[in-house]
């Protein structure tokens, strides 16, 4: 079992590489969706059904990966899922119909869901060994990888076909996996993947302890859902709100999500310092409150620039809620807790966009976007009610 600071540092670097790779590959695929739609001659509804393959594969695998991590260890499962993710991202350009696209996206989604549970489980163990709240730095790597993947994908979209571009992602993914995976497989998890309470949590007596932990995992999963709901809503509806409701130009409207994503990346990069100063509970309370205020500004402001500021503030507020929720769930019940929190979080990301759409039809898009603020406030309230359990 690794115990030296050198071993733990190597392990942290390897895990950071996998988080960044995951964001890089997923973003690279997303920017080529319009080309794949044209290639498969899919209608909007057919494409929507095909894209559900990613969601279905991810949710199904997330519920199973916790068990695999318990049986085989989170490090081997991370490496295997990284190989599958790298290989499967090259498959969509080889399809020529919506059903076949949906089938390969089911495989891609399964790998994506699996690696998210596996490397988050490994990160939870490392956080416990380091005794420092470094979980946000891993998620900052994911966000940064996504921004690089999307930016690079946009640059090469005009020069490379989807087949060559996504094959390049496969090669990149396999190379990173070979390098980082070698370091990961050499190390056993620095902490056993078993249920263990927060060091600041008072012991619970009797048989109610496990049931209490399960309930808390669901509560922390709800925090992840509230955060991911906002991310999904911002990704799908932020630009439309700026363009449709505030008459922003297409370029400025597209910058809306960039402001949100950049602010979230910065927030996560500084998350460890924030957690060390404020503790988990106050970070969640402050983050949820800031995100609620930012989204109210972003959705109801009468000017484009005020809305962009609101989007950035929302990103800063939401930045560390998901990492804290996953880390706490994993600390309580190991990989199964990570799986539950991740599944609920991913469910929130799926729930957000269609919910915003329905509410926009019933009321208006600005009114619908205030639901992001409402759920951020719910996350803050959960931080208040679980303050003693969440600890520092």
């Amino acid at each position: 079992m690794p115990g030296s600071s050198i071993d733990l540092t190597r392990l942290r670097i390897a895990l950071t590489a996998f988080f960044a790779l995951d964001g890089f590959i997923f973003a690279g695929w997303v920017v080529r969706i319009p080309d794949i739609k044209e290639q498969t001659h899919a209608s909007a509804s057919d494409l929507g059904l095909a894209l559900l393959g990613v969601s279905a594969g991810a949710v199904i695998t997330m519920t199973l990966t916790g068990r695999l991590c318990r049986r085989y260890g989170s490090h081997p499962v991370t490496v295997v899922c990284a190989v599958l993710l790298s290989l499967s991202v090259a498959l969509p350009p080889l399809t020529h119909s919506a059903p076949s696209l949906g089938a390969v996206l089911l495989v891609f989604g399964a790998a994506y869901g699996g690696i998210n549970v596996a490397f988050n489980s490994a990160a939870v163990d490392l956080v416990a060994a380091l005794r420092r709240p470094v979980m946000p730095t891993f998620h900052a790597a994911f966000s940064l990888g996504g921004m690089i993947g999307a930016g690079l994908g946009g640059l090469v979209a005009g020069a490379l076909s989807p087949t060559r571009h996504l094959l390049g992602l496969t090669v990149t993914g396999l190379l990173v996996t070979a390098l980082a995976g070698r370091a990961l497989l050499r190390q056993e998890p620095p902490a056993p993947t078993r249920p263990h309470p927060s060091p600041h949590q008072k012991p619970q007596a009797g048989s109610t302890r496990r049931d209490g932990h399960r309930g808390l995992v669901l509560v922390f999963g709800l925090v992840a859902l509230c955060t991911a709901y906002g991310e999904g809503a911002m990704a799908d509806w932020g630009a439309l709100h700026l363009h449709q409701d505030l008459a922003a130009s297409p370029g400025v409207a597209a910058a809306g999500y960039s402001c949100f994503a950049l602010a979230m990346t910065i927030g996560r990069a500084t998350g460890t310092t924030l957690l060390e100063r404020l503790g988990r509970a106050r970070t969640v309370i402050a983050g949820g409150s800031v995100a609620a205020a930012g989204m109210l500004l972003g959705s109801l402001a009468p000017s484009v620039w005020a809305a962009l500021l609101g989007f950035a503030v929302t990103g800063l507020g939401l930045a560390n809620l998901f990492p804290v929720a996953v880390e706490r769930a994993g600390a309580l019940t190991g990989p199964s807790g990570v799986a539950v929190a991740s599944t609920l979080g991913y469910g929130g990301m799926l729930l957000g966009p269609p919910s915003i759409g329905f509410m926009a039809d019933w009321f208006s898009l600005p009114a619908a976007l205030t639901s992001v603020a409402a759920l951020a406030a719910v996350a803050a309230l959960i931080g208040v009610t679980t303050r003693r359990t969440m600890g520092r």
Side-chain angles (χ1 to χ4, degrees), residues 27-122:
W29 141 249
V30 167
V31 299
R32 301 314 296 251
I33 288 177
D35 298 307
I36 302 298
K37 178 182 183 296
E38 183 178 348
Q39 176 180 305
T40 57
H41 306 291
S43 65
S45 59
D46 288 340
L47 179 64
L49 289 174
L51 291 176
L52 281 177
V54 178
S55 307
V59 170
I60 292 171
T61 309
M62 282 177 172
T63 61
L64 300 175
T65 306
R67 298 177 185 175
L68 293 176
C69 288
R70 284 188 177 276
R71 182 169 182 177
Y72 300 107
S74 56
H75 293 182
V77 175
T78 296
V79 174
V80 170
C81 289
V83 171
L84 292 176
L85 184 72
S86 301
L87 293 175
S88 60
V89 76
L91 297 178
L94 305 181
T95 62
H96 297 283
S97 68
S100 60
L101 177 62
V104 301
L105 289 182
L106 190 68
V107 178
F108 179 70
Y112 178 74
I115 194 173
N116 273 270
V117 171
F119 61 35
N120 272 298
S121 298

Side-chain angles (χ1 to χ4, degrees), residues 6 12 58 85 132 163-164 166 171 202 234 262 272 277 293 298 339 359 369 374:
I6 294 177
R12 185 177 178 182
L85 184 72
R132 290 190 65 209
T163 302
R164 291 184 177 181
L166 298 187
V171 173
K202 293 184 178 181
M234 288 297 302
L262 180 60
T272 296
R277 291 185 178 181
M359 286 186 283
L369 288 172

Side-chain angles (χ1 to χ4, degrees), residues 37 126 142 145 171 208 322 339 346:
K37 178 182 183 296
L126 182 57
F142 172 84
V171 173
T208 60
F322 191 94
Y346 199 80

Side-chain angles (χ1 to χ4, degrees), residues 9 62 64 66 78 85 101 110-111 121 166 196 211 280 282 291 298 328 334 344 382:
T9 299
M62 282 177 172
L64 300 175
T78 296
L85 184 72
L101 177 62
S121 298
L166 298 187
H196 53 89
D211 291 338
R280 297 185 187 92
R282 282 188 286 179
R328 283 292 82 202
L344 285 172
I382 291 174

